[in-house]
Amino acid sequence: GSVSLAESLGSWAEILRLHHRQNRPFAAKLYEEALEALEAQTAHLGGTDDGRSVFRSQHADIWRGYTELLFGQDNPGGALEVIERSRAQSLMEMLVRGRVAIRNGVDRNLLEEMQLLKRSLVVKFDNRVGVLTQSNGTLGQTTADSEIAKIIVRQNEVDAAIQKTSPRYASLAKPKALTIREIQALLDEDTTLIEYMLGDAHTRVWTVTPYSVRAYELPSRMSVEARARDVYSLLSQNRCLESDPEWRRAITNLANILVAPIKKELKGRRLAVVSDGALQYIPFGILPIDDPGTPLIARYEVIALPSASVLSLLRSERARRRPPVNSLAVLADPVFDSSDERVKHDDSKRQKGIPSTMTLTSERLMRSIADARQSDHLPRLIASRREASAILAATPGVRKMAALDFSANRPRAIGGQLAKYRIVHFATHALLDSSHPELSGLVLSLVDPEGNPQNGFLSLEDIYNLNLPVDLVVLSACETALGKQIDGEGLVGLTRGFMYAGATRVVASLWKMDDVASAELMARFYREMGEKQ
């Protein structure tokens, strides 16, 4: 199968890379063939969690080996191209293993046929194994192979039709990473792309401008993530004042690793940053660029990207669409449980916590909350109501919409109304789950006006299936689950989901914020943004 082939090719390539320098060009060819085999298998991942874990482990070793080979050949641009391919595939793997079904932008008939073909292929493979134990195994195997071949041919035909009729879906299901020249063509003279890749032995960082590509070697993943955790822990405790010596020490230590080595490469006035692992939970703009502690955000416009290739997709999407006619939609202050004073019913029926009547999606919500919090109780964000009023007042234009209380619900979010607004603002709990990224999502009203439970979890699957061609999505008052697995996939999945839905930009907080402080911050944010328009 594809996995066995990729494993064999990757092992062969690794031997040549490490022990036979004269054969490294051939090793590059083997790595390329191994990656093609892996990419062909990704969309058909199934089986047990252990099986998928082994697949990902093999996958990571091959990507890493190919990257190191290209560095050894003094080809940092080629190495960055491989990392971009890896990130596109990593996102696809996460969606597949999380069983996130994406329908937005896909012809329904083609999608249904593809799902049937995938199920048929699994059955045929199982039957093929079974016939080998029978007396006429050879004949049965020939028949099974013929049937499998027919299904694969039809899969390729359907896949070609999907790519032709649904280019956005094709860009996700079969991601095409950009070449280094294409990445450089996206950048203007005022922009420097910075991209990090954490590694067990060392970390790599690239700086790319329209005219240059450079790469540097930094300390190991363990060293970098230890310092990132120190900063994240202090941020989570709101201990980020210059007067706090522990904060100054933590932020300086991280900046010395991440920024100091590339300081001379930071050209122009804009930095587009692609982070990795725990670094995705650190706002890059707060890192000091010099000894007095001047943060990068004071000198540069700092933008975070899931990958460089996403920038191309965002620009092409925005160029094709007409701007929304309305200015701002706000969903704020949802009702999370029947004990809320806004629920109108007998006090004896009130209950605190997540409603007990749960759909499958509600079970996802419970699992995500268990990862992110110590209890199943989501506190009301009272100040988010004031936040909604403040940002509505600060936003120019008259065509606005505020969905508060029970109106801040999942049907309103997925019903298509939000596509009519330029900015969509969610003031609620956002769960970014790093252990189970497919459980990331937003929590909207979980009960109706009578206190009856309802599905209020806007899951990652819901987000990918939204039609949201807007300029900006703001996720205010977030929670994060920064667990042992800190690949950043929860954050990437959520922000990338809104981008896939059509949003050009996403603003999200990376740690728990006091709702009063959040309201004040958001009001200032919209006032400043309004003054610049």
Side-chain angles (χ1 to χ4, degrees):
S2 296
V3 175
S4 298
L5 176 61
E7 183 179 16
S8 299
L9 292 170
S11 298
W12 189 5
E14 190 74 354
I15 291 171
L16 295 179
R17 179 178 76 86
L18 295 174
H19 305 294
H20 300 278
R21 297 178 63 90
Q22 70 277 13
N23 287 326
R24 284 185 173 179
F26 184 53
K29 186 175 186 302
L30 294 175
Y31 275 126
E32 191 66 36
E33 292 177 358
L35 293 188
E36 289 177 2
L38 284 171
E39 289 166 350
Q41 182 67 18
T42 297
H44 307 295
L45 283 178
T48 64
D49 289 338
D50 287 343
R52 290 193 295 272
S53 178
V54 169
F55 177 85
R56 290 192 297 276
S57 175
Q58 296 165 348
H59 196 167
D61 290 344
I62 295 172
W63 290 112
R64 190 178 301 115
Y66 193 13
T67 302
E68 293 301 322
L69 174 68
L70 292 169
F71 268 111
Q73 295 177 333
D74 195 24
N75 184 5
L80 182 57
E81 291 174 6
V82 173
I83 293 304
E84 280 290 306
R85 283 175 67 182
S86 170
R87 287 188 164 139
Q89 285 298 312
S90 178
L91 174 64
M92 186 59 192
E93 284 179 36
M94 182 266 285
L95 296 174
V96 170
R97 73 175 183 262
R99 295 178 175 84
V100 176
I102 300 174
R103 301 170 296 277
N104 184 21
V106 191
D107 181 279
R108 185 181 300 274
N109 293 330
L110 292 174
L111 186 62
E112 289 177 355
E113 184 176 359
M114 181 62 82
Q115 295 303 321
L116 286 173
L117 289 168
K118 287 180 179 180
R119 287 195 289 270
S120 297
L121 196 60
V122 171
V123 172
K124 295 299 182 184
F125 272 123
D126 289 343
N127 291 341
R128 184 181 184 276
V129 174
V131 298
L132 292 177
T133 62
Q134 300 172 6
S135 58
N136 62 339
T138 303
L139 178 61
Q141 182 180 351
T142 301
T143 303
D145 286 347
S146 175
E147 292 173 345
I148 289 171
K150 290 178 180 178
I151 293 175
I152 291 174
V153 168
R154 182 54 188 162
Q155 271 190 323
N156 291 335
E157 292 173 351
V158 174
D159 184 63
I162 288 175
Q163 292 191 55
K164 183 177 180 180
T165 60
S166 310
R168 186 197 296 177
Y169 178 82
S171 71
L172 182 67
K174 280 201 162 184
K176 176 187 178 296
L178 302 180
T179 66
I180 191 63
R181 296 297 182 195
E182 289 171 328
I183 291 173
Q184 288 180 295
L186 292 171
L187 307 175
D188 57 34
E189 294 187 358
D190 271 336
T191 303
T192 299
L193 172 70
I194 305 170
E195 185 153 352
Y196 292 90
M197 180 196 73
L198 300 179
D200 294 336
H202 41 247
T203 293
R204 303 285 190 183
V205 58
W206 290 261
T207 60
V208 184
T209 71
Y211 312 109
S212 67
V213 182
R214 293 187 174 86
Y216 296 83
E217 184 176 307
L218 309 180
S220 68
R221 172 191 291 270
M222 182 178 296
S223 179
V224 172
E225 290 196 331
R227 286 162 176 77
R229 280 185 177 278
D230 289 342
V231 171
Y232 180 85
S233 176
L234 293 170
L235 282 171
S236 301
Q237 301 170 49
N238 291 321
R239 291 180 55 191
C240 49
L241 298 176
E242 279 297 311
S243 57
D244 187 330
E246 190 173 351
W247 167 257
R248 287 203 311 274
R249 183 168 55 254
I251 197 69
T252 300
N253 286 343
L254 186 59
N256 285 342
I257 289 180
L258 299 180
V259 179
I262 61 172
K263 181 178 176 180
K264 66 178 184 295
E265 304 293 346
L266 305 183
K267 307 290 178 24
R269 60 183 178 84
R270 185 182 303 107
L271 305 178
V273 183
V274 180
S275 297
D276 192 19
L279 298 182
Q280 294 183 82
Y281 293 93
I282 305 298
F284 196 79
I286 68 172
L287 298 178
I289 193 172
D290 47 31
D291 291 336
T294 304
L296 285 164
I297 194 68
R299 296 188 182 178
Y300 302 95
E301 176 187 346
V302 181
I303 302 168
L305 291 171
S307 71
S309 301
V310 167
L311 183 59
S312 175
L313 179 63
L314 292 176
R315 288 186 175 178
S316 61
E317 284 284 325
R318 190 176 187 188
R320 285 199 300 264
R321 73 178 186 228
R322 297 174 61 184
V325 296
N326 301 325
S327 58
L328 172 68
V330 181
L331 286 79
D333 198 12
V335 184
F336 299 126
D337 61 63
S338 57
S339 68
D340 192 294
E341 63 184 9
R342 291 168 289 180
V343 174
K344 307 298 183 184
H345 65 60
D346 188 343
D347 287 345
S348 64
K349 297 181 180 179
R350 294 179 184 268
Q351 66 178 49
K352 195 168 186 176
I354 305 303
S356 59
T357 303
M358 291 183 284
T359 63
L360 175 61
T361 304
S362 298
E363 291 173 8
R364 289 183 182 177
L365 169 62
M366 292 294 287
R367 288 180 58 198
S368 190
I369 290 175
D371 278 353
R373 305 178 58 84
Q374 297 299 313
S375 72
D376 66 353
H377 177 60
L378 289 171
R380 178 183 177 184
L381 299 171
I382 298 176
S384 69
R385 195 179 206 86
R386 189 180 75 186
E387 175 180 335
S389 299
I391 63 177
L392 286 165
T395 306
V398 294
R399 297 182 175 180
K400 309 169 192 176
M401 181 269 288
L404 307 175
D405 306 317
F406 302 100
S407 296
N409 55 42
R410 181 173 174 272
R412 185 178 293 271
I414 66 176
Q417 303 173 50
L418 300 184
K420 301 175 182 178
Y421 295 86
R422 191 171 59 84
I423 302 172
V424 176
H425 184 104
F426 293 94
T428 186
H429 291 292
L431 303 173
L432 308 181
D433 196 320
S434 60
S435 297
H436 302 96
E438 70 276 7
L439 300 181
S440 299
L442 306 180
V443 187
L444 300 173
S445 288
L446 297 174
V447 296
D448 66 16
E450 286 71 43
N452 299 312
Q454 63 183 15
N455 181 7
F457 188 43
L458 190 68
S459 68
L460 186 66
E461 182 171 322
D462 290 330
I463 291 166
Y464 268 92
N465 287 301
L466 290 176
N467 176 34
L468 206 61
V470 302
D471 289 346
L472 175 67
V473 169
V474 179
L475 311 178
S476 177
C478 302
E479 294 270 1
T480 65
L482 187 59
K484 291 182 180 179
Q485 298 180 27
I486 46 178
D487 295 334
E489 287 184 336
L491 178 59
V492 170
L494 193 63
T495 55
R496 183 66 179 84
F498 277 110
M499 291 175 177
Y500 178 81
T504 304
R505 303 174 186 87
V506 180
V507 172
S509 55
L510 300 175
W511 58 90
K512 183 178 181 179
M513 291 181 63
D514 176 83
D515 59 345
V516 175
S518 178
E520 177 63 23
L521 173 65
M522 285 294 106
R524 294 187 184 187
F525 173 74
Y526 279 91
R527 279 198 297 270
E528 290 287 332
M529 191 163 55
E531 290 173 4
K532 288 178 170 55
Q533 290 178 351

